Amino acid sequence: MTNRIYLYELESYKRATPQQIKSMYMSADRFFDLDELPNETLREEMRAFLMERGNRLSITSIAREVPAYNLVCRFVNEKERKLCSFRDKPIKELERKLKAWLMKQGFKISYARNSIVYPEKSPADVGSVAFLKKLYRFLEPADNRAEQEKDVWELKKLDIQLIDNPIRSVHKLNFKPIKQQEMREELKTVIFMELKNVAVGTVLSEMSAFKRFSKYLAEKKPEVQSCKDIDRDVIESYLTYLNTEVIKKSFRTELIYIKTLLSLVGKVYDREDLGELFFTGDIPSEVRTLYRTYSDSEIARLNTHIVQMNEQIARALIIHQMLGTRISDTLTLPPDCLYQKNGGYIIKVKQVKSSYYEKPVSEELAALIQKAISYTKERYGESRYIFVCENDPSRPYQYSMIQNQVMNMIHREDLRDDNGELFGFNTHLFRHTYGRKLTEMHLDDYTIARLLGHTGTGSVKYYRKLSNSALEQETREMREEMDVILLDLIKGWEEYGEI
């Protein structure tokens, strides 16, 4: 068996798209040289690790790891030649020694991660340190306990039909940040119950809220080791802490999540009073904020550059605007979403958060959707979704990918809103803008609700609030410049009658 693992030999290379291969920053004949490691055991451990990653990750991700691999090999050869296995020493010790060695070689040991989407900077390990940590985790002995007993759950291994959002995939739940061991076990019990009835995204938010609470208890109330140790005094002290020491606009949702989980723990462990620890007034009233929208000039400014992006991503964003759907509904459209009726086109939209609905669409929008369908079929064959991940065509585009692509474009082109500020990006603003446009056309509440996919008309009043000032200022000429596709929608509605 050769001790070289060439990039072109990996499964990720064999299934890569031409675009992925083109985006590799090194040639396919580059390789991981296992002979750079001092003994056969280390080579076999590394081989297993690299082959697993080569099967699971994209070729571009694997290619980026070659320099990190080479640095780790140099470190082992110079400082750890007596290692019989990478797990002979604790990872903290190996990490500390690797960082010391990197600094002596003139390399950085961390960098300030500055996400365009989340602008706050946070330190991150450089590639070689991160690579060593991943290798160490890969070599951990198999944990044969039931998934519910572990501190990190792989959701696909739970025998539960999960309620998840395909465009925001969640693979794991980590209970380790719950510092109190007894409390951690109590949370595992109730979270398992929650996963059967509540969306995974909501469960993540509940856990995030409780992790903050757990961290506070570990620092300020170390005597509290179980949810059953929590009383009204503990809740009051936490409320005081949130209102005086933590900078955040509102903790309303977090407090509701904590109350929910405490109530569940109380029911499971025969402590019904845990659900009564929060009093009226502890949780602030909900403040309904005014919907934000893009102006016509802002939409035009964004779309001028959106259409220059990757053609399929551009189609997804334009179709999203023209449909007025939630982004999750746009990105999970199936190839059979269109059908013809009375000479026109109807689209079926399966809403991730509720049931499906149908509405007429213009020929222009139908043609754009059909072009997107053809693009995917030509490259990936039959698929469940119109917009699919390059790495895994069984999955739809992920929201994080769309957001990063657009934010990169905004920063690269220095795109500014009407106030001169750099654009933020929120796909739901397109939906708000669509709703506002419908109210400016003087449509009735029922028609607007139907076009938005709402089962009732209760939310329409928020879109009407958006348009009141605009109606006073905008002229008939502006309304005549209205998106012709929206006019086609209403015309189609009248022609087809009840759908």
Side-chain angles (χ1 to χ4, degrees):
M1 181 183 294
T2 178
N3 279 337
R4 289 183 175 183
I5 301 176
Y6 289 89
L7 295 178
Y8 65 75
E9 295 176 328
L10 298 173
E11 288 299 319
S12 56
Y13 184 87
K14 295 174 184 177
R15 67 168 182 261
T17 64
Q19 294 95 324
Q20 287 177 304
I21 293 174
K22 185 178 179 180
S23 66
M24 286 174 61
Y25 70 93
M26 59 181 63
S27 62
D29 60 359
R30 282 292 296 272
F31 56 86
F32 296 94
D33 190 354
L34 297 175
D35 283 331
E36 292 296 317
L37 293 168
N39 64 62
E40 191 59 30
T41 301
L42 296 183
R43 294 183 197 117
E44 289 308 308
E45 288 178 343
M46 186 65 78
R47 183 190 300 278
F49 175 62
L50 292 173
M51 297 306 290
E52 187 273 339
R53 292 180 75 70
N55 184 56
R56 179 169 54 87
L57 303 182
S58 70
I59 190 60
T60 50
S61 297
I62 293 296
R64 283 195 294 266
E65 292 190 336
V66 173
Y69 167 83
N70 290 334
L71 280 177
V72 169
C73 289
R74 283 180 56 191
F75 160 70
V76 171
N77 272 307
E78 292 184 26
K79 296 297 182 181
E80 297 292 340
R81 288 191 66 84
K82 293 183 179 180
L83 275 180
C84 294
S85 165
F86 283 103
R87 289 189 62 84
D88 281 351
K89 291 185 177 180
I91 185 58
K92 290 295 182 184
E93 180 180 344
L94 285 177
E95 180 186 351
R96 177 175 52 79
K97 289 184 176 181
L98 174 58
K99 286 182 176 180
W101 179 83
L102 286 170
M103 285 192 291
K104 283 187 177 180
Q105 304 300 313
F107 294 105
K108 292 181 179 181
I109 61 173
S110 65
Y111 67 95
R113 176 169 44 202
N114 190 4
S115 166
I116 289 176
V117 177
Y118 304 103
E120 62 273 11
K121 294 183 178 181
S122 59
D125 291 324
V126 292
S128 54
V129 176
F131 184 87
L132 182 64
K133 287 181 176 180
K134 291 170 186 174
L135 169 63
Y136 197 88
R137 286 196 296 270
F138 171 79
L139 296 172
E140 287 179 350
D143 187 345
N144 295 318
R145 293 179 297 166
E147 203 65 23
Q148 286 174 253
E149 298 176 13
K150 300 175 184 177
D151 289 336
V152 180
W153 292 356
E154 290 189 44
L155 294 180
K156 65 181 180 181
K157 294 183 179 179
L158 294 174
D159 189 21
I160 299 176
Q161 184 63 45
L162 297 172
I163 307 170
D164 63 348
N165 188 335
I167 73 166
R168 290 183 171 90
S169 296
V170 180
H171 304 291
K172 294 182 178 181
L173 290 183
N174 186 3
F175 291 87
K176 290 181 178 179
I178 305 297
K179 305 299 182 182
Q180 303 79 4
Q181 185 61 43
E182 189 175 352
M183 189 178 295
R184 185 187 302 174
E185 297 305 316
E186 293 164 349
L187 262 291
K188 287 180 188 178
T189 299
V190 298
I191 289 297
F192 187 76
M193 295 167 54
E194 283 282 81
L195 285 171
K196 296 177 181 179
N197 304 296
V198 178
V200 173
T202 300
V203 171
L204 274 178
S205 298
E206 290 176 344
M207 286 186 61
S208 178
F210 216 92
K211 286 172 184 176
R212 186 198 295 270
F213 185 40
S214 169
K215 182 179 179 182
Y216 165 80
L217 294 175
E219 294 175 357
K220 307 290 186 180
K221 303 284 183 180
E223 70 278 8
V224 177
Q225 291 297 311
S226 162
C227 290
K228 291 172 283 188
D229 296 332
I230 299 171
D231 57 19
R232 176 60 189 175
D233 288 340
V234 171
I235 296 299
E236 288 183 354
S237 65
Y238 186 58
L239 292 171
T240 300
Y241 164 76
L242 291 179
N243 287 303
T244 59
E245 298 186 39
V246 181
I247 301 174
K248 191 176 179 183
K249 291 182 179 179
S250 173
F251 288 96
R252 170 184 165 78
T253 305
E254 280 197 19
L255 293 174
I256 290 173
Y257 288 147
I258 293 171
K259 179 180 179 181
T260 297
L261 292 178
L262 284 178
S263 297
L264 287 172
V265 170
K267 291 175 182 177
V268 171
Y269 292 94
D270 198 26
R271 278 289 308 275
E272 295 286 342
D273 59 301
L274 289 179
E276 301 170 359
L277 294 178
F278 284 89
F279 293 170
T280 302
D282 288 343
I283 300 176
S285 301
E286 181 179 12
V287 178
R288 189 82 188 219
T289 57
L290 183 67
Y291 285 177
R292 291 179 55 235
T293 67
Y294 290 122
S295 69
D296 290 350
S297 60
E298 287 173 334
I299 286 283
R301 212 171 303 142
L302 281 171
N303 284 343
T304 297
H305 294 277
I306 283 175
V307 296
Q308 299 176 37
M309 297 173 68
N310 168 280
E311 59 181 305
Q312 191 73 337
I313 291 175
R315 288 190 193 104
L317 289 168
I318 298 300
I319 288 169
H320 174 61
Q321 296 177 47
M322 294 163 75
L323 283 177
T325 45
R326 299 178 180 88
I327 190 63
S328 55
D329 303 336
T330 302
L331 298 184
T332 56
L333 285 171
D336 63 353
C337 62
L338 282 176
Y339 70 90
Q340 286 187 293
K341 182 177 181 180
N342 297 335
Y345 286 95
I346 307 295
I347 189 166
K348 298 179 290 184
V349 180
K350 174 65 177 73
Q351 299 182 97
V352 172
K353 292 190 174 183
S354 57
S355 59
Y356 82 94
Y357 70 102
E358 300 181 346
K359 65 179 179 179
V361 295
S362 68
E363 291 186 6
E364 293 86 353
L365 177 51
L368 190 57
I369 294 171
Q370 288 166 339
K371 206 163 187 176
I373 293 169
S374 297
Y375 176 97
T376 297
K377 190 169 185 178
E378 289 170 4
R379 287 161 177 76
Y380 307 104
E382 298 298 328
S383 62
R384 182 178 179 183
Y385 305 106
I386 295 176
F387 303 105
V388 300
C389 294
E390 287 185 358
N391 298 345
D392 183 1
S394 67
R395 300 168 62 211
Y397 276 172
Q398 299 297 286
Y399 179 77
S400 57
M401 182 276 288
I402 294 287
Q403 189 177 34
N404 274 293
Q405 291 271 354
V406 175
M407 287 304 296
N408 278 320
M409 178 266 290
I410 287 170
H411 280 254
R412 185 175 62 252
E413 303 296 338
D414 192 34
L415 296 183
R416 304 278 168 164
D417 62 22
D418 288 347
N419 296 319
E421 300 292 331
L422 200 67
F423 267 110
F425 182 71
N426 182 339
T427 54
H428 213 62
L429 291 187
F430 288 127
R431 180 169 167 83
H432 289 170
T433 304
Y434 179 95
R436 173 174 63 82
K437 288 286 188 179
L438 294 178
T439 65
E440 290 169 3
M441 294 171 65
H442 305 291
L443 302 178
D444 63 89
D445 286 6
Y446 176 73
T447 300
I448 292 173
R450 288 290 302 275
L451 289 170
L452 288 167
H454 290 314
T455 55
T457 60
S459 295
V460 175
K461 60 179 177 290
Y462 298 108
Y463 293 103
R464 291 204 181 281
K465 286 181 181 179
L466 287 172
S467 63
N468 285 341
S469 58
L471 282 172
E472 295 172 1
Q473 300 171 19
E474 294 173 351
T475 64
R476 176 176 297 276
E477 181 181 355
M478 186 285 299
R479 291 196 295 275
E480 289 173 353
E481 293 173 357
M482 182 80 166
D483 189 345
V484 68
I485 291 153
L486 295 182
L487 296 173
D488 283 341
L489 289 175
I490 307 309
K491 180 181 178 183
W493 192 285
E494 293 170 350
E495 290 178 357
Y496 306 139
E498 187 70 11
I499 297 173

